[in-house]
């Protein structure tokens, strides 16, 4: 993803969280191929604040109430770990959505106004309902045997051990 897109993604989400009626504690979890310095420089240039982390993904899932992604498979992994997911994609069609985003119960926020409204209206009940809908979608559409959240979490832990 181009640097200007990543900057706009971070700025849009963090600005919306800052302006929301309730307090949020966002963390920027970088992709293994990214460098933390890009995000630190972006935060410094914009005056926005959030910790930047390259720590293990599963640990962040455990701490998170919501995962915000652009188009990554991280969203489906979050759902499998029992965390609701939302996609911010202001760049369609140049950035395509993953099938689980296009066809599932994942909110796709396509404008800065939609992002702001989403966070303004977000509450615990909405998070819980969304998590339930999304895990049900995963179970129905992905035909995973057993408990998909546990299986995906185990897979993530195993793959991180090899990094």
């Amino acid at each position: 993803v181009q640097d200007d897109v990543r900057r706009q993604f971070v700025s849009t989400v963090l600005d919306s969280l800052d302006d929301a009626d309730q307090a949020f504690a966002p963390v920027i979890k970088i992709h293994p191929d990214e460098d933390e310095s890009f995000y630190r420089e972006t935060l410094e240039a914009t005056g926005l604040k959030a910790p930047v982390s390259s720590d293990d993904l599963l640990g962040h899932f455990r701490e998170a109430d919501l995962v915000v992604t652009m188009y990554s498979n991280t969203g489906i992994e979050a759902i499998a770990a029992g965390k609701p997911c939302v996609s911010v994609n202001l760049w369609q069609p140049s950035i395509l959505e993953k099938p689980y985003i296009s066809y599932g119960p994942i909110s796709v926020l396509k404008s800065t106004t939609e992002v702001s409204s989403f966070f303004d209206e977000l509450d615990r009940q909405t998070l819980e309902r969304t998590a339930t809908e999304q895990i049900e979608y995963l179970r129905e559409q992905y035909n995973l045997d057993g408990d998909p959240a546990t299986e995906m979490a185990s897979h993530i832990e195993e793959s991180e051990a090899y990094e």
Side-chain angles (χ1 to χ4, degrees), residues 28-29 32 44 77:
I28 299 171
K29 166 57 177 102
E44 187 176 316
E77 294 166 343

Side-chain angles (χ1 to χ4, degrees), residues 59 95 113:
I95 294 182
T113 302

